[in-house]
Amino acid sequence: MKTINIKHYLVAAALCCGVATALTACAEWDDHYDGGASTGSDLTLWQQLQGRQELSEFCKLLEQTKVFRMHKKTVVSYADLLNGGQSFTVVAPVNGSFNCDSLLKLAETNQGDSVVEKSFVLNHISRSTTSLRSDEQTMLLLNSKYVTLGGDAIQGVTVKEANVHARNGVIHVAAKPLPYQINLYEALCDLPEMTGVGSVLRQYEQDYFDADASVSSGIVEGVPVYVDSVVYEYNRMLERIGLIDAEDSLYWVVAPNTEGWQKAWNEASKYFVYDSSVLKNDSIQQYWTTHALMSDAIFNLRDQRSTEDSLVSVPYLSWRRQLYVPGKPISHVFHKTFAEGGILNGAEKISCSNGVLYKVDEWPFTPEQTYLQPIWTEGERVDLITEYNDKLCSYNVRREVGDSISEDSYLQIVPSTSTANWTITFRLNNNLAADYDVCAVLLPKTVSNANDTDLRPCKFRATIKYADATGKMQEFNCNKTTFVSDPEKVDTIVLAENFHFPVCNYDQSAIKATVTLTCYISAKETSRYDREMYLDCIYLRPRISKVE
């Protein structure tokens, strides 16, 4: 999903044929966006406003505030737009109800002009033409905020004179400015104590021009010209974890102040160190560190059953099928939200237009609750088998529903002959730069046949390959240990205890880590051991330790 920034429609119309033409009319634009302009006056909105002395300060501000398009100031003012052919509703605050001089001074700079435009001017203009009635209505403003109208008030502000008609819209004269309520994204980006989070999130803001949705007026000198340009503003980070910049959504966000954020980010970033051969490894580290912290900090309220009892985050909703597998812990679910030790205990509540920001001093999560999770490489994922010798063995994916079988499937490795010592290698994905116990989970033959009497154990060795800081593959032979399974139970065998992966392998297409299992049975041991193996999964169990 992407949020349409309505102001782009306005300036596109003004610029499509040059400013002078746009100010009189842009018929094609109005045909496409029928505003349903009010009738009853030959004066434009701008002329009506100028004719009222009590609105002179608001008029000054409209004259001095320029429209921004694609984050650049244009030559078109909001006075120009209201004097043109497009239809609007204007809520005009009377003189003395706001500090006009400070806003005018702020509008003298590009950055200040952008702030005045979004938080004040656009907060008083709507693209629709909406009359004030006794029944309650909702109106969308040009800054994508919603306000309610009804009786003699708009968003709780008394209207001194309603439904002043103009040729291209309607004016409501208000006793004071409409309140501007920030949304969650604005709170993170603009509140001084929260800018540690916001400054990182802002780096992922992007604009997308949708040519298909835009209205073309032809091609001039080989370049397409559009009557209106539909431009989407979106944050590519938030698209994956929660649209907290959308006004029609409802979220809770928990986030620390700048100091707490920096502390949490510094700790998390150590787990997302990529090897030097990875292109733009620093940028990738920053992206996934931020993603790891934010994905458990945003909660879509439509997905919560009881916020007092628990909160579930986006990763839970995305992966809950795996999380329900017996033997695997339920992750990304936070219980007793407001109680002692809960993630929102003692948090400061800040109401926003699209939800609530819970501000804390310290990041309320641990790595083990969020990004430092166990990793399962399921045996039946044959696409993760990188190497095996088909002359020594074959394999079959078998399904068995059972409480002790991960994903209700496993891999049956079958030797080609009674003396064939096979080797099979599995790719490991998404490990962090962290310490893990590397385990193999083996199943007894009784999972498929309760009456099977062949209970000989498997005997094998293991090798771990991994990338070092330069991207060069290194090899660890698990101390040449020979592992013997317990044939009468589901057996989790630790191949390497507290094994350190020096670099992160998260979201990488290149193979950066593997585990190789090698049957290790001599000919004379054939009667004692079984070369057939039922492999449930390779399991990386994170160790609870700090990365230095």
Side-chain angles (χ1 to χ4, degrees), residues 130-139 147-155 162-163 172:
T130 307
S131 298
L132 192 62
R133 306 193 305 251
S134 58
D135 59 313
E136 188 172 288
Q137 308 169 74
T138 300
M139 182 169 67
V147 293
T148 57
L149 305 84
D152 63 349
I154 300 176
Q155 201 66 11
N163 305 328
H172 305 300

Coordinates of all heavy atoms in Angstrom, one line a residue, residues 130-139 147-155 162-163 172:
T130 N -17.4 20.8 0.8 CA -18.2 20.3 1.9 C -18.9 21.4 2.7 O -18.2 22.3 3.3 CB -17.4 19.4 2.9 OG1 -16.7 18.4 2.1 CG2 -18.3 18.7 3.9
S131 N -20.2 21.4 2.6 CA -21.0 22.4 3.4 C -21.2 21.9 4.8 O -21.2 20.7 5.1 CB -22.4 22.6 2.7 OG -22.2 23.2 1.4
L132 N -21.3 22.8 5.8 CA -21.5 22.5 7.1 C -23.0 22.3 7.4 O -23.8 23.1 7.0 CB -21.0 23.6 8.0 CG -20.9 23.3 9.5 CD1 -19.9 22.2 9.8 CD2 -20.5 24.6 10.3
R133 N -23.4 21.1 7.9 CA -24.8 20.8 8.2 C -24.9 20.4 9.6 O -24.0 20.3 10.4 CB -25.2 19.6 7.3 CG -24.9 19.8 5.8 CD -25.6 18.7 5.0 NE -25.3 17.4 5.4 CZ -24.5 16.5 4.7 NH1 -24.0 16.9 3.5 NH2 -24.2 15.3 5.1
S134 N -26.1 20.1 10.0 CA -26.4 19.7 11.4 C -25.9 18.3 11.7 O -25.4 18.0 12.8 CB -27.9 19.8 11.7 OG -28.6 18.9 10.8
D135 N -25.9 17.4 10.7 CA -25.4 16.1 10.9 C -23.9 16.0 10.8 O -23.3 16.8 10.1 CB -26.1 15.1 9.9 CG -25.8 15.4 8.5 OD1 -26.0 16.6 8.1 OD2 -25.4 14.6 7.7
E136 N -23.3 15.1 11.4 CA -21.8 15.0 11.4 C -21.3 14.3 10.1 O -21.9 13.4 9.6 CB -21.4 14.1 12.6 CG -19.9 14.1 12.8 CD -19.4 13.5 14.1 OE1 -19.7 14.1 15.2 OE2 -18.9 12.4 14.1
Q137 N -20.2 14.9 9.6 CA -19.6 14.4 8.4 C -18.1 14.3 8.7 O -17.6 14.8 9.7 CB -19.8 15.3 7.2 CG -21.2 15.7 6.9 CD -21.2 16.9 5.9 OE1 -21.0 16.7 4.7 NE2 -21.5 18.1 6.4
T138 N -17.4 13.7 7.7 CA -15.9 13.6 7.8 C -15.4 14.2 6.5 O -15.9 14.0 5.4 CB -15.4 12.2 7.9 OG1 -16.0 11.6 9.1 CG2 -13.9 12.1 7.9
M139 N -14.3 15.0 6.7 CA -13.7 15.7 5.5 C -12.2 15.4 5.5 O -11.5 15.5 6.5 CB -14.0 17.2 5.6 CG -13.4 18.0 4.4 SD -14.0 19.7 4.4 CE -13.2 20.4 5.8
V147 N -11.0 15.4 9.4 CA -11.7 16.2 10.4 C -13.2 16.0 10.4 O -13.7 15.5 9.3 CB -11.4 17.7 10.2 CG1 -9.9 18.1 10.5 CG2 -11.8 18.2 8.8
T148 N -13.8 16.2 11.5 CA -15.3 16.0 11.6 C -16.0 17.3 11.5 O -15.5 18.3 12.1 CB -15.7 15.2 12.8 OG1 -15.2 15.9 14.0 CG2 -15.1 13.8 12.8
L149 N -17.1 17.4 10.8 CA -17.9 18.6 10.7 C -19.3 18.3 11.2 O -19.8 17.2 10.9 CB -18.0 19.1 9.3 CG -16.7 19.4 8.5 CD1 -16.2 18.2 7.8 CD2 -17.0 20.5 7.4
G150 N -19.9 19.2 11.9 CA -21.3 19.0 12.3 C -21.8 20.2 13.2 O -21.0 20.7 14.0
G151 N -23.0 20.6 13.1 CA -23.5 21.7 13.8 C -22.8 23.0 13.5 O -22.8 23.4 12.4
D152 N -22.2 23.6 14.5 CA -21.5 24.8 14.3 C -20.0 24.7 14.5 O -19.3 25.7 14.9 CB -22.1 25.9 15.2 CG -21.9 25.6 16.7 OD1 -21.5 24.4 17.0 OD2 -22.1 26.5 17.5
A153 N -19.5 23.5 14.3 CA -18.0 23.3 14.6 C -17.4 22.4 13.6 O -18.0 21.5 13.0 CB -17.9 22.7 16.0
I154 N -16.1 22.5 13.5 CA -15.2 21.6 12.7 C -14.1 21.2 13.6 O -13.3 22.0 14.0 CB -14.7 22.3 11.4 CG1 -15.8 22.8 10.5 CG2 -13.8 21.4 10.6 CD1 -15.4 23.6 9.3
Q155 N -14.0 19.9 13.8 CA -13.0 19.3 14.7 C -12.9 20.1 16.0 O -11.9 20.3 16.6 CB -11.6 19.4 14.0 CG -10.6 18.4 14.5 CD -11.0 17.0 14.3 OE1 -11.9 16.6 13.5 NE2 -10.3 16.0 14.9
A162 N -20.6 30.0 8.3 CA -20.5 28.8 7.5 C -21.0 29.0 6.1 O -21.8 29.9 5.8 CB -21.2 27.6 8.2
N163 N -20.5 28.1 5.2 CA -21.0 28.0 3.9 C -21.0 29.3 3.1 O -22.0 29.7 2.5 CB -22.5 27.4 3.9 CG -22.6 26.1 4.7 OD1 -21.6 25.3 4.7 ND2 -23.7 25.9 5.4
H172 N -15.6 28.3 5.2 CA -16.1 28.3 6.6 C -15.2 29.2 7.4 O -14.0 28.9 7.5 CB -16.2 26.9 7.2 CG -16.9 25.9 6.3 ND1 -18.3 26.1 6.0 CD2 -16.6 24.8 5.8 CE1 -18.7 25.1 5.3 NE2 -17.6 24.3 5.1

